[in-house]
Amino acid sequence: MLFALSAYKQIFDQLIDFYRKKMDRILIALRIYPGAIKRPISGYPNNKIELVSLSIKQLRQSLKKYDYKIILINDGFNTDELNLILGETRSDILEIINTAGIGNFSTFELQIKKLLEYPEFNYLYFAEDDYLYLENFIEKNLQLLNTFDYTTGYYHPDYENLNLHKSFSSKENCPQISTTCSFWTKRNILLKDANRLRMYSKLGDLGFWLLLTCSFRQILYRFFICLRSPNELKLCSRILRTLFVKGSKFFYSDTRKLVASYPSTSTHVDKKYLAVGWLQ
């Protein structure tokens, strides 16, 4: 009897372990393209091939204890350049998609499509090639995904510089209304929100994030904030378009929670947009 119970317990533990490992699997859709960085951070390469290689190296260093795969969307590098970028990374590549300079909007749509094609992965990362990462980037974002629907390692300087974003809450675990196109989510969330993310081509990143994180009333409130802020007037037309789309297509959609880790665990490589709290 005791032997049978022990055998059942072992089988049960194996099933739990199998399920846990499946739920912890990470899929990254990484977009790369040969466009130059306008204002590279001092001390880092301004050659795009070297910069992309460094970005991937740091990302892989953060991933070393996790079960993950990468879908690479190459929007313009030739074969020789791609070989220089990948090196030993090829073992982590699930799929390489070569596109002929189709641009930001189309490659973002492709990210959504490809991330949803693999149901065996639970944690999903929309990655771009112009970010740097700390070693705790993955760990911190996965922890935050236990509480939030979307996370980013990039604490954007706009959070402190624009009235649109300013909050009286502590920086740590403070909900945000938008970020860039580099972010984390889970499969079940992306399945529900894909149509709102696809509005990127019409509304830009601020627009699709407002559709996700704000109600109609909250978007209207943000419009009036920008209307009273001379330096943010240029955002008003975009917010108005978003308000129209929210009211006509997504009025009853769920409001999502987004957070940016602080101190930052990743940063944009353009020094104008260096992450707040970046420690390197």
Side-chain angles (χ1 to χ4, degrees):
M1 182 66 177
L2 288 176
F3 176 78
L5 287 173
S6 177
Y8 281 126
K9 183 180 183 304
Q10 185 176 5
I11 293 170
F12 179 77
D13 288 344
Q14 288 174 347
L15 287 171
I16 292 295
D17 188 55
F18 172 80
Y19 180 75
R20 182 187 60 79
K21 286 180 179 178
K22 179 179 178 181
M23 293 305 294
D24 285 349
R25 297 191 75 191
I26 295 168
L27 182 60
I28 296 164
L30 169 61
R31 298 186 287 160
I32 65 173
Y33 83 113
I37 303 300
K38 292 181 181 178
R39 297 162 293 255
I41 300 172
S42 177
Y44 289 95
N46 56 12
N47 175 289
K48 191 62 184 289
I49 292 175
E50 293 178 8
L51 190 59
V52 175
S53 300
L54 176 62
S55 177
I56 293 174
K57 179 181 178 181
Q58 290 185 350
L59 181 59
R60 291 179 72 237
Q61 182 69 17
S62 181
L63 283 159
K64 61 185 178 182
K65 65 179 183 180
Y66 296 94
D67 182 4
Y68 72 95
K69 287 294 179 184
I70 298 172
I71 297 170
L72 189 72
I73 301 171
N74 169 35
D75 196 34
F77 284 107
N78 63 41
T79 302
D80 291 339
E81 291 170 333
L82 191 60
N83 287 335
L84 285 173
I85 288 168
L86 290 180
E88 62 183 24
T89 307
R90 283 195 178 275
S91 61
D92 302 333
I93 302 295
L94 182 64
E95 185 178 356
I96 296 177
I97 303 163
N98 293 304
T99 55
I102 60 176
N104 234 3
F105 297 141
S106 296
T107 53
F108 183 73
E109 291 255 358
L110 196 51
Q111 279 181 303
I112 298 170
K113 178 178 181 292
K114 300 308 293 186
L115 286 170
L116 289 175
E117 284 183 2
Y118 296 91
E120 63 269 31
F121 295 91
N122 185 43
Y123 294 110
L124 310 177
Y125 180 46
F126 287 73
E128 299 177 279
D129 65 1
D130 47 5
Y131 281 78
L132 300 173
Y133 302 94
L134 297 183
E135 194 164 341
N136 66 339
F137 168 72
I138 304 295
E139 181 180 6
K140 180 65 175 176
N141 278 275
L142 294 191
Q143 288 173 356
L144 290 171
L145 277 176
N146 291 326
T147 306
F148 295 87
D149 303 305
Y150 293 92
T151 73
T152 174
Y154 177 44
Y155 200 95
H156 201 295
D158 282 355
Y159 297 157
E160 294 190 338
N161 298 332
L162 295 183
N163 292 322
L164 177 69
H165 293 284
K166 283 184 179 177
S167 171
F168 296 105
S169 301
S170 167
K171 289 186 179 74
E172 192 170 352
N173 296 342
C174 176
Q176 304 295 340
I177 60 167
S178 73
T179 183
T180 62
C181 290
S182 291
F183 60 91
W184 287 88
T185 191
K186 291 183 180 179
R187 177 176 171 79
N188 65 315
I189 298 295
L190 184 58
L191 280 167
K192 296 174 183 176
D193 292 351
N195 286 336
R196 281 186 278 179
L197 269 72
R198 291 188 180 104
M199 298 306 297
Y200 174 45
S201 61
K202 294 182 174 62
L203 302 174
D205 50 8
L206 175 61
F208 84 71
W209 280 115
L210 291 177
L211 289 178
L212 288 167
T213 61
C214 296
S215 66
F216 184 89
R217 183 186 299 177
Q218 289 168 334
I219 298 173
L220 185 61
Y221 171 68
R222 302 289 174 178
F223 170 75
F224 285 117
I225 287 177
C226 290
L227 204 59
R228 297 195 304 267
S229 307
N231 293 333
E232 298 170 44
L233 282 172
K234 60 185 179 182
L235 299 174
C236 287
S237 61
R238 199 186 315 174
I239 296 175
L240 268 183
R241 292 198 304 272
T242 303
L243 196 64
F244 174 78
V245 173
K246 183 73 172 182
S248 60
K249 294 185 177 182
F250 303 106
F251 190 81
Y252 296 106
S253 57
D254 293 336
T255 301
R256 300 301 188 191
K257 293 190 294 182
L258 163 70
V259 71
S261 61
Y262 181 84
S264 295
T265 54
S266 66
T267 186
H268 198 282
V269 296
D270 189 322
K271 63 183 178 183
K272 181 180 178 181
Y273 300 109
L274 186 70
V276 178
W278 180 249
L279 300 177
Q280 279 195 342

